[in-house]
Amino acid sequence: MIRRSAMAAMAFAMLAPLGALAQPGDWPTRNVRILVGSAPGGGTDAMARAVADRLGPLLKQPVIVENRPGVSNTLAADATAKATDGHTMVMGVVTAHAIAPHLLKLNYDGNRDLVPVDFVGAVPNVLVVTGGLPADSVQALVALAKKEPGKINYASSGAGSTQHIAAEMFRDAAGIDIVHVPYKGSSAALVDLVGGQVQMSFDTMPSVIGQIKNGKIRALAVTSPKRNPQLPNVPTMAEAGLPAVEVSAWYGIYMPASTPKAVQDRVHDEVNKVLAMPETRTRLEAVGAEITPTSQAQFIAFQNAEYKRYGDIIRKNQIRID
């Protein structure tokens, strides 16, 4: 009987992480991690930290942002899909969840292994150029690229990122020859853009808004359907004559598919409370984010639609990762 009791206790201890999942009312029982698939300082990191800073007090446990950059933001998604501790989520981004699956052979199935929980917001990509480039409009940039084919380099935060996709759509729509230079995150790309080692980028608003406002780089257009309040004098790509170039970086919380629905509901509701806080809205809107509260069902439908849309774009433009 003693041996059976000891074995039962050992089995219970081994199942403790699963117990956290099995008792949603007690969740969370320890630190919560939000994984980020890019380096500190990028758009995804900014969105995650804005949420994490206010989410911890609501959950009554520390919420820690952990950066795992690389492979088109998918390393963080992969780690989340395989997490069994019941306390890991990822700040998902369009790159990992709607683009990369069409370009990369992944070690997980995002549509099967992860569940969209709450939509956080979206920001436009911005066509920016280094200060030394003699182009002050989209039309001038296209003319320069046609005059000097293969001489203009564009930076991205990695192959398969929205920066990469937007630039390839731009290249195709404008009929120009520009060269892709991928980086491991927006921060490193921005350093070289400011320094003139690369000449242009379609980076996300949070990554570049500071450098635009201090005059280090120039914004030529935004890729959203309408102008952004943070850059009211910057035209859309449609206004610049290239309506086909429409790309936005969107962000949302994903959790392992095994997460109990009650825990998903708790996270969804608490994150929406964070997004409704004036301090959070001010912080995110300052970097050009558009906050749109949604139900979980709406986020899932949006994710599925974006997955299909980017698959169509990638096939139409024959975009590949070499």
PDB file of all heavy atoms in Angstrom, residues 29-65:
ATOM      1  N   THR A  29      -0.700  29.879 -12.486  1.00  0.00           N
ATOM      2  CA  THR A  29      -0.122  29.519 -11.202  1.00  0.00           C
ATOM      3  C   THR A  29       1.337  29.928 -11.092  1.00  0.00           C
ATOM      4  O   THR A  29       1.961  29.707 -10.066  1.00  0.00           O
ATOM      5  CB  THR A  29      -0.235  28.002 -10.974  1.00  0.00           C
ATOM      6  OG1 THR A  29       0.437  27.313 -12.041  1.00  0.00           O
ATOM      7  CG2 THR A  29      -1.702  27.571 -10.948  1.00  0.00           C
ATOM      8  N   ARG A  30       1.879  30.525 -12.153  1.00  0.00           N
ATOM      9  CA  ARG A  30       3.274  30.997 -12.140  1.00  0.00           C
ATOM     10  C   ARG A  30       3.460  32.029 -13.246  1.00  0.00           C
ATOM     11  O   ARG A  30       2.484  32.477 -13.860  1.00  0.00           O
ATOM     12  CB  ARG A  30       4.228  29.822 -12.327  1.00  0.00           C
ATOM     13  CG  ARG A  30       3.919  28.951 -13.539  1.00  0.00           C
ATOM     14  CD  ARG A  30       5.017  27.941 -13.749  1.00  0.00           C
ATOM     15  NE  ARG A  30       4.600  26.836 -14.574  1.00  0.00           N
ATOM     16  CZ  ARG A  30       5.452  25.998 -15.121  1.00  0.00           C
ATOM     17  NH1 ARG A  30       6.742  26.155 -14.949  1.00  0.00           N
ATOM     18  NH2 ARG A  30       5.011  24.992 -15.866  1.00  0.00           N
ATOM     19  N   ASN A  31       4.722  32.397 -13.489  1.00  0.00           N
ATOM     20  CA  ASN A  31       5.005  33.384 -14.524  1.00  0.00           C
ATOM     21  C   ASN A  31       4.414  32.959 -15.868  1.00  0.00           C
ATOM     22  O   ASN A  31       4.437  31.786 -16.222  1.00  0.00           O
ATOM     23  CB  ASN A  31       6.522  33.554 -14.706  1.00  0.00           C
ATOM     24  CG  ASN A  31       7.179  34.199 -13.509  1.00  0.00           C
ATOM     25  OD1 ASN A  31       6.517  34.604 -12.566  1.00  0.00           O
ATOM     26  ND2 ASN A  31       8.500  34.291 -13.542  1.00  0.00           N
ATOM     27  N   VAL A  32       3.918  33.945 -16.599  1.00  0.00           N
ATOM     28  CA  VAL A  32       3.408  33.725 -17.949  1.00  0.00           C
ATOM     29  C   VAL A  32       4.421  34.290 -18.937  1.00  0.00           C
ATOM     30  O   VAL A  32       4.948  35.393 -18.732  1.00  0.00           O
ATOM     31  CB  VAL A  32       2.038  34.412 -18.142  1.00  0.00           C
ATOM     32  CG1 VAL A  32       1.568  34.294 -19.590  1.00  0.00           C
ATOM     33  CG2 VAL A  32       1.003  33.814 -17.187  1.00  0.00           C
ATOM     34  N   ARG A  33       4.705  33.533 -19.976  1.00  0.00           N
ATOM     35  CA  ARG A  33       5.651  33.998 -20.996  1.00  0.00           C
ATOM     36  C   ARG A  33       4.918  34.387 -22.269  1.00  0.00           C
ATOM     37  O   ARG A  33       4.033  33.671 -22.727  1.00  0.00           O
ATOM     38  CB  ARG A  33       6.664  32.908 -21.344  1.00  0.00           C
ATOM     39  CG  ARG A  33       7.610  32.498 -20.238  1.00  0.00           C
ATOM     40  CD  ARG A  33       8.658  31.531 -20.768  1.00  0.00           C
ATOM     41  NE  ARG A  33       8.041  30.340 -21.350  1.00  0.00           N
ATOM     42  CZ  ARG A  33       8.684  29.510 -22.183  1.00  0.00           C
ATOM     43  NH1 ARG A  33       9.927  29.761 -22.570  1.00  0.00           N
ATOM     44  NH2 ARG A  33       8.069  28.432 -22.655  1.00  0.00           N
ATOM     45  N   ILE A  34       5.307  35.549 -22.823  1.00  0.00           N
ATOM     46  CA  ILE A  34       4.887  35.914 -24.177  1.00  0.00           C
ATOM     47  C   ILE A  34       6.133  35.861 -25.045  1.00  0.00           C
ATOM     48  O   ILE A  34       7.049  36.679 -24.889  1.00  0.00           O
ATOM     49  CB  ILE A  34       4.259  37.320 -24.247  1.00  0.00           C
ATOM     50  CG1 ILE A  34       3.013  37.411 -23.366  1.00  0.00           C
ATOM     51  CG2 ILE A  34       3.903  37.660 -25.696  1.00  0.00           C
ATOM     52  CD1 ILE A  34       2.335  38.770 -23.392  1.00  0.00           C
ATOM     53  N   LEU A  35       6.205  34.889 -25.925  1.00  0.00           N
ATOM     54  CA  LEU A  35       7.352  34.771 -26.820  1.00  0.00           C
ATOM     55  C   LEU A  35       7.192  35.725 -27.993  1.00  0.00           C
ATOM     56  O   LEU A  35       6.080  35.987 -28.460  1.00  0.00           O
ATOM     57  CB  LEU A  35       7.501  33.339 -27.325  1.00  0.00           C
ATOM     58  CG  LEU A  35       7.646  32.243 -26.264  1.00  0.00           C
ATOM     59  CD1 LEU A  35       8.004  30.916 -26.928  1.00  0.00           C
ATOM     60  CD2 LEU A  35       8.677  32.607 -25.215  1.00  0.00           C
ATOM     61  N   VAL A  36       8.313  36.255 -28.455  1.00  0.00           N
ATOM     62  CA  VAL A  36       8.344  37.196 -29.568  1.00  0.00           C
ATOM     63  C   VAL A  36       9.336  36.670 -30.590  1.00  0.00           C
ATOM     64  O   VAL A  36      10.477  36.348 -30.247  1.00  0.00           O
ATOM     65  CB  VAL A  36       8.755  38.604 -29.099  1.00  0.00           C
ATOM     66  CG1 VAL A  36       8.993  39.535 -30.288  1.00  0.00           C
ATOM     67  CG2 VAL A  36       7.682  39.188 -28.186  1.00  0.00           C
ATOM     68  N   GLY A  37       8.915  36.597 -31.840  1.00  0.00           N
ATOM     69  CA  GLY A  37       9.754  36.005 -32.872  1.00  0.00           C
ATOM     70  C   GLY A  37      10.743  36.941 -33.521  1.00  0.00           C
ATOM     71  O   GLY A  37      11.324  36.594 -34.548  1.00  0.00           O
ATOM     72  N   SER A  38      10.943  38.124 -32.954  1.00  0.00           N
ATOM     73  CA  SER A  38      11.904  39.076 -33.499  1.00  0.00           C
ATOM     74  C   SER A  38      12.764  39.644 -32.373  1.00  0.00           C
ATOM     75  O   SER A  38      12.474  39.434 -31.187  1.00  0.00           O
ATOM     76  CB  SER A  38      11.189  40.214 -34.243  1.00  0.00           C
ATOM     77  OG  SER A  38      10.349  40.923 -33.349  1.00  0.00           O
ATOM     78  N   ALA A  39      13.792  40.375 -32.759  1.00  0.00           N
ATOM     79  CA  ALA A  39      14.714  40.951 -31.774  1.00  0.00           C
ATOM     80  C   ALA A  39      14.062  42.115 -31.033  1.00  0.00           C
ATOM     81  O   ALA A  39      13.090  42.706 -31.513  1.00  0.00           O
ATOM     82  CB  ALA A  39      15.982  41.416 -32.484  1.00  0.00           C
ATOM     83  N   PRO A  40      14.588  42.470 -29.858  1.00  0.00           N
ATOM     84  CA  PRO A  40      14.072  43.642 -29.141  1.00  0.00           C
ATOM     85  C   PRO A  40      14.153  44.897 -30.010  1.00  0.00           C
ATOM     86  O   PRO A  40      15.097  45.078 -30.775  1.00  0.00           O
ATOM     87  CB  PRO A  40      15.009  43.750 -27.929  1.00  0.00           C
ATOM     88  CG  PRO A  40      15.513  42.359 -27.723  1.00  0.00           C
ATOM     89  CD  PRO A  40      15.647  41.778 -29.104  1.00  0.00           C
ATOM     90  N   GLY A  41      13.132  45.736 -29.895  1.00  0.00           N
ATOM     91  CA  GLY A  41      13.130  46.994 -30.633  1.00  0.00           C
ATOM     92  C   GLY A  41      12.282  46.989 -31.886  1.00  0.00           C
ATOM     93  O   GLY A  41      11.979  48.043 -32.434  1.00  0.00           O
ATOM     94  N   GLY A  42      11.874  45.811 -32.358  1.00  0.00           N
ATOM     95  CA  GLY A  42      11.047  45.737 -33.550  1.00  0.00           C
ATOM     96  C   GLY A  42       9.577  45.923 -33.241  1.00  0.00           C
ATOM     97  O   GLY A  42       9.169  46.089 -32.083  1.00  0.00           O
ATOM     98  N   GLY A  43       8.756  45.881 -34.285  1.00  0.00           N
ATOM     99  CA  GLY A  43       7.332  46.119 -34.117  1.00  0.00           C
ATOM    100  C   GLY A  43       6.650  45.073 -33.256  1.00  0.00           C
ATOM    101  O   GLY A  43       5.821  45.396 -32.393  1.00  0.00           O
ATOM    102  N   THR A  44       6.974  43.786 -33.468  1.00  0.00           N
ATOM    103  CA  THR A  44       6.351  42.727 -32.675  1.00  0.00           C
ATOM    104  C   THR A  44       6.720  42.862 -31.210  1.00  0.00           C
ATOM    105  O   THR A  44       5.883  42.682 -30.313  1.00  0.00           O
ATOM    106  CB  THR A  44       6.778  41.343 -33.200  1.00  0.00           C
ATOM    107  OG1 THR A  44       6.656  41.314 -34.617  1.00  0.00           O
ATOM    108  CG2 THR A  44       5.920  40.246 -32.605  1.00  0.00           C
ATOM    109  N   ASP A  45       7.972  43.186 -30.953  1.00  0.00           N
ATOM    110  CA  ASP A  45       8.444  43.372 -29.579  1.00  0.00           C
ATOM    111  C   ASP A  45       7.712  44.529 -28.911  1.00  0.00           C
ATOM    112  O   ASP A  45       7.298  44.435 -27.746  1.00  0.00           O
ATOM    113  CB  ASP A  45       9.953  43.637 -29.603  1.00  0.00           C
ATOM    114  CG  ASP A  45      10.559  43.754 -28.216  1.00  0.00           C
ATOM    115  OD1 ASP A  45      10.640  42.723 -27.514  1.00  0.00           O
ATOM    116  OD2 ASP A  45      10.943  44.877 -27.829  1.00  0.00           O
ATOM    117  N   ALA A  46       7.517  45.617 -29.634  1.00  0.00           N
ATOM    118  CA  ALA A  46       6.820  46.782 -29.074  1.00  0.00           C
ATOM    119  C   ALA A  46       5.382  46.440 -28.713  1.00  0.00           C
ATOM    120  O   ALA A  46       4.876  46.838 -27.653  1.00  0.00           O
ATOM    121  CB  ALA A  46       6.851  47.940 -30.075  1.00  0.00           C
ATOM    122  N   MET A  47       4.702  45.679 -29.564  1.00  0.00           N
ATOM    123  CA  MET A  47       3.325  45.296 -29.288  1.00  0.00           C
ATOM    124  C   MET A  47       3.256  44.372 -28.074  1.00  0.00           C
ATOM    125  O   MET A  47       2.388  44.517 -27.204  1.00  0.00           O
ATOM    126  CB  MET A  47       2.714  44.612 -30.505  1.00  0.00           C
ATOM    127  CG  MET A  47       2.707  45.449 -31.780  1.00  0.00           C
ATOM    128  SD  MET A  47       1.634  46.896 -31.709  1.00  0.00           S
ATOM    129  CE  MET A  47       0.047  46.163 -32.062  1.00  0.00           C
ATOM    130  N   ALA A  48       4.185  43.422 -28.002  1.00  0.00           N
ATOM    131  CA  ALA A  48       4.183  42.466 -26.892  1.00  0.00           C
ATOM    132  C   ALA A  48       4.425  43.159 -25.563  1.00  0.00           C
ATOM    133  O   ALA A  48       3.754  42.865 -24.558  1.00  0.00           O
ATOM    134  CB  ALA A  48       5.244  41.393 -27.132  1.00  0.00           C
ATOM    135  N   ARG A  49       5.360  44.072 -25.519  1.00  0.00           N
ATOM    136  CA  ARG A  49       5.686  44.734 -24.255  1.00  0.00           C
ATOM    137  C   ARG A  49       4.568  45.683 -23.815  1.00  0.00           C
ATOM    138  O   ARG A  49       4.321  45.845 -22.618  1.00  0.00           O
ATOM    139  CB  ARG A  49       7.027  45.459 -24.374  1.00  0.00           C
ATOM    140  CG  ARG A  49       8.177  44.479 -24.523  1.00  0.00           C
ATOM    141  CD  ARG A  49       9.550  45.114 -24.606  1.00  0.00           C
ATOM    142  NE  ARG A  49      10.528  44.092 -24.961  1.00  0.00           N
ATOM    143  CZ  ARG A  49      11.081  43.224 -24.107  1.00  0.00           C
ATOM    144  NH1 ARG A  49      10.748  43.286 -22.829  1.00  0.00           N
ATOM    145  NH2 ARG A  49      11.944  42.323 -24.515  1.00  0.00           N
ATOM    146  N   ALA A  50       3.885  46.288 -24.763  1.00  0.00           N
ATOM    147  CA  ALA A  50       2.759  47.156 -24.399  1.00  0.00           C
ATOM    148  C   ALA A  50       1.656  46.347 -23.728  1.00  0.00           C
ATOM    149  O   ALA A  50       1.000  46.823 -22.795  1.00  0.00           O
ATOM    150  CB  ALA A  50       2.221  47.863 -25.641  1.00  0.00           C
ATOM    151  N   VAL A  51       1.454  45.118 -24.202  1.00  0.00           N
ATOM    152  CA  VAL A  51       0.444  44.238 -23.599  1.00  0.00           C
ATOM    153  C   VAL A  51       0.941  43.664 -22.279  1.00  0.00           C
ATOM    154  O   VAL A  51       0.241  43.686 -21.259  1.00  0.00           O
ATOM    155  CB  VAL A  51       0.064  43.105 -24.569  1.00  0.00           C
ATOM    156  CG1 VAL A  51      -0.793  42.052 -23.867  1.00  0.00           C
ATOM    157  CG2 VAL A  51      -0.675  43.662 -25.776  1.00  0.00           C
ATOM    158  N   ALA A  52       2.171  43.163 -22.265  1.00  0.00           N
ATOM    159  CA  ALA A  52       2.705  42.484 -21.081  1.00  0.00           C
ATOM    160  C   ALA A  52       2.771  43.398 -19.870  1.00  0.00           C
ATOM    161  O   ALA A  52       2.498  42.968 -18.740  1.00  0.00           O
ATOM    162  CB  ALA A  52       4.093  41.926 -21.393  1.00  0.00           C
ATOM    163  N   ASP A  53       3.124  44.651 -20.070  1.00  0.00           N
ATOM    164  CA  ASP A  53       3.285  45.583 -18.952  1.00  0.00           C
ATOM    165  C   ASP A  53       2.004  45.753 -18.144  1.00  0.00           C
ATOM    166  O   ASP A  53       2.048  45.987 -16.931  1.00  0.00           O
ATOM    167  CB  ASP A  53       3.747  46.948 -19.466  1.00  0.00           C
ATOM    168  CG  ASP A  53       5.203  46.933 -19.927  1.00  0.00           C
ATOM    169  OD1 ASP A  53       5.878  45.919 -19.680  1.00  0.00           O
ATOM    170  OD2 ASP A  53       5.647  47.919 -20.547  1.00  0.00           O
ATOM    171  N   ARG A  54       0.858  45.647 -18.808  1.00  0.00           N
ATOM    172  CA  ARG A  54      -0.429  45.836 -18.126  1.00  0.00           C
ATOM    173  C   ARG A  54      -1.149  44.532 -17.828  1.00  0.00           C
ATOM    174  O   ARG A  54      -2.059  44.502 -16.987  1.00  0.00           O
ATOM    175  CB  ARG A  54      -1.338  46.722 -18.987  1.00  0.00           C
ATOM    176  CG  ARG A  54      -0.758  48.104 -19.286  1.00  0.00           C
ATOM    177  CD  ARG A  54      -0.803  48.996 -18.075  1.00  0.00           C
ATOM    178  NE  ARG A  54      -0.200  50.303 -18.326  1.00  0.00           N
ATOM    179  CZ  ARG A  54      -0.195  51.297 -17.457  1.00  0.00           C
ATOM    180  NH1 ARG A  54      -0.757  51.127 -16.275  1.00  0.00           N
ATOM    181  NH2 ARG A  54       0.383  52.441 -17.751  1.00  0.00           N
ATOM    182  N   LEU A  55      -0.750  43.461 -18.515  1.00  0.00           N
ATOM    183  CA  LEU A  55      -1.443  42.192 -18.350  1.00  0.00           C
ATOM    184  C   LEU A  55      -1.100  41.514 -17.030  1.00  0.00           C
ATOM    185  O   LEU A  55      -1.953  40.868 -16.415  1.00  0.00           O
ATOM    186  CB  LEU A  55      -1.111  41.264 -19.527  1.00  0.00           C
ATOM    187  CG  LEU A  55      -1.830  39.913 -19.578  1.00  0.00           C
ATOM    188  CD1 LEU A  55      -3.341  40.103 -19.640  1.00  0.00           C
ATOM    189  CD2 LEU A  55      -1.346  39.106 -20.788  1.00  0.00           C
ATOM    190  N   GLY A  56       0.148  41.648 -16.592  1.00  0.00           N
ATOM    191  CA  GLY A  56       0.590  41.002 -15.369  1.00  0.00           C
ATOM    192  C   GLY A  56      -0.302  41.285 -14.165  1.00  0.00           C
ATOM    193  O   GLY A  56      -0.749  40.350 -13.489  1.00  0.00           O
ATOM    194  N   PRO A  57      -0.587  42.556 -13.855  1.00  0.00           N
ATOM    195  CA  PRO A  57      -1.449  42.840 -12.697  1.00  0.00           C
ATOM    196  C   PRO A  57      -2.842  42.228 -12.818  1.00  0.00           C
ATOM    197  O   PRO A  57      -3.433  41.824 -11.809  1.00  0.00           O
ATOM    198  CB  PRO A  57      -1.511  44.371 -12.704  1.00  0.00           C
ATOM    199  CG  PRO A  57      -0.245  44.805 -13.358  1.00  0.00           C
ATOM    200  CD  PRO A  57       0.007  43.771 -14.416  1.00  0.00           C
ATOM    201  N   LEU A  58      -3.374  42.133 -14.032  1.00  0.00           N
ATOM    202  CA  LEU A  58      -4.697  41.537 -14.202  1.00  0.00           C
ATOM    203  C   LEU A  58      -4.678  40.032 -13.938  1.00  0.00           C
ATOM    204  O   LEU A  58      -5.630  39.475 -13.404  1.00  0.00           O
ATOM    205  CB  LEU A  58      -5.226  41.814 -15.607  1.00  0.00           C
ATOM    206  CG  LEU A  58      -5.482  43.284 -15.968  1.00  0.00           C
ATOM    207  CD1 LEU A  58      -6.005  43.395 -17.395  1.00  0.00           C
ATOM    208  CD2 LEU A  58      -6.468  43.918 -14.997  1.00  0.00           C
ATOM    209  N   LEU A  59      -3.568  39.380 -14.347  1.00  0.00           N
ATOM    210  CA  LEU A  59      -3.449  37.946 -14.130  1.00  0.00           C
ATOM    211  C   LEU A  59      -2.886  37.611 -12.752  1.00  0.00           C
ATOM    212  O   LEU A  59      -2.871  36.445 -12.351  1.00  0.00           O
ATOM    213  CB  LEU A  59      -2.549  37.323 -15.204  1.00  0.00           C
ATOM    214  CG  LEU A  59      -3.055  37.386 -16.647  1.00  0.00           C
ATOM    215  CD1 LEU A  59      -2.044  36.768 -17.597  1.00  0.00           C
ATOM    216  CD2 LEU A  59      -4.403  36.698 -16.790  1.00  0.00           C
ATOM    217  N   LYS A  60      -2.381  38.638 -12.063  1.00  0.00           N
ATOM    218  CA  LYS A  60      -1.780  38.462 -10.735  1.00  0.00           C
ATOM    219  C   LYS A  60      -0.562  37.535 -10.764  1.00  0.00           C
ATOM    220  O   LYS A  60      -0.259  36.822  -9.799  1.00  0.00           O
ATOM    221  CB  LYS A  60      -2.820  37.953  -9.732  1.00  0.00           C
ATOM    222  CG  LYS A  60      -3.959  38.933  -9.486  1.00  0.00           C
ATOM    223  CD  LYS A  60      -4.953  38.414  -8.462  1.00  0.00           C
ATOM    224  CE  LYS A  60      -5.992  39.477  -8.098  1.00  0.00           C
ATOM    225  NZ  LYS A  60      -6.727  39.999  -9.258  1.00  0.00           N
ATOM    226  N   GLN A  61       0.128  37.555 -11.882  1.00  0.00           N
ATOM    227  CA  GLN A  61       1.395  36.851 -12.056  1.00  0.00           C
ATOM    228  C   GLN A  61       2.250  37.671 -13.019  1.00  0.00           C
ATOM    229  O   GLN A  61       1.715  38.357 -13.901  1.00  0.00           O
ATOM    230  CB  GLN A  61       1.189  35.452 -12.647  1.00  0.00           C
ATOM    231  CG  GLN A  61       0.543  34.441 -11.727  1.00  0.00           C
ATOM    232  CD  GLN A  61       1.468  33.943 -10.624  1.00  0.00           C
ATOM    233  OE1 GLN A  61       2.671  34.216 -10.623  1.00  0.00           O
ATOM    234  NE2 GLN A  61       0.896  33.204  -9.675  1.00  0.00           N
ATOM    235  N   PRO A  62       3.584  37.644 -12.865  1.00  0.00           N
ATOM    236  CA  PRO A  62       4.443  38.363 -13.817  1.00  0.00           C
ATOM    237  C   PRO A  62       4.248  37.844 -15.239  1.00  0.00           C
ATOM    238  O   PRO A  62       4.097  36.634 -15.450  1.00  0.00           O
ATOM    239  CB  PRO A  62       5.859  38.061 -13.315  1.00  0.00           C
ATOM    240  CG  PRO A  62       5.692  37.692 -11.880  1.00  0.00           C
ATOM    241  CD  PRO A  62       4.361  36.992 -11.796  1.00  0.00           C
ATOM    242  N   VAL A  63       4.219  38.760 -16.199  1.00  0.00           N
ATOM    243  CA  VAL A  63       4.158  38.391 -17.610  1.00  0.00           C
ATOM    244  C   VAL A  63       5.473  38.826 -18.246  1.00  0.00           C
ATOM    245  O   VAL A  63       5.794  40.018 -18.282  1.00  0.00           O
ATOM    246  CB  VAL A  63       2.961  39.041 -18.327  1.00  0.00           C
ATOM    247  CG1 VAL A  63       2.973  38.701 -19.815  1.00  0.00           C
ATOM    248  CG2 VAL A  63       1.652  38.581 -17.689  1.00  0.00           C
ATOM    249  N   ILE A  64       6.237  37.860 -18.706  1.00  0.00           N
ATOM    250  CA  ILE A  64       7.603  38.099 -19.172  1.00  0.00           C
ATOM    251  C   ILE A  64       7.659  37.972 -20.693  1.00  0.00           C
ATOM    252  O   ILE A  64       7.161  36.995 -21.265  1.00  0.00           O
ATOM    253  CB  ILE A  64       8.565  37.084 -18.531  1.00  0.00           C
ATOM    254  CG1 ILE A  64       8.530  37.231 -17.002  1.00  0.00           C
ATOM    255  CG2 ILE A  64       9.980  37.258 -19.057  1.00  0.00           C
ATOM    256  CD1 ILE A  64       9.185  36.087 -16.277  1.00  0.00           C
ATOM    257  N   VAL A  65       8.264  38.962 -21.346  1.00  0.00           N
ATOM    258  CA  VAL A  65       8.470  38.912 -22.791  1.00  0.00           C
ATOM    259  C   VAL A  65       9.816  38.259 -23.059  1.00  0.00           C
ATOM    260  O   VAL A  65      10.831  38.664 -22.504  1.00  0.00           O
ATOM    261  CB  VAL A  65       8.423  40.321 -23.418  1.00  0.00           C
ATOM    262  CG1 VAL A  65       8.795  40.257 -24.898  1.00  0.00           C
ATOM    263  CG2 VAL A  65       7.043  40.929 -23.250  1.00  0.00           C
TER     264      VAL A  65
END
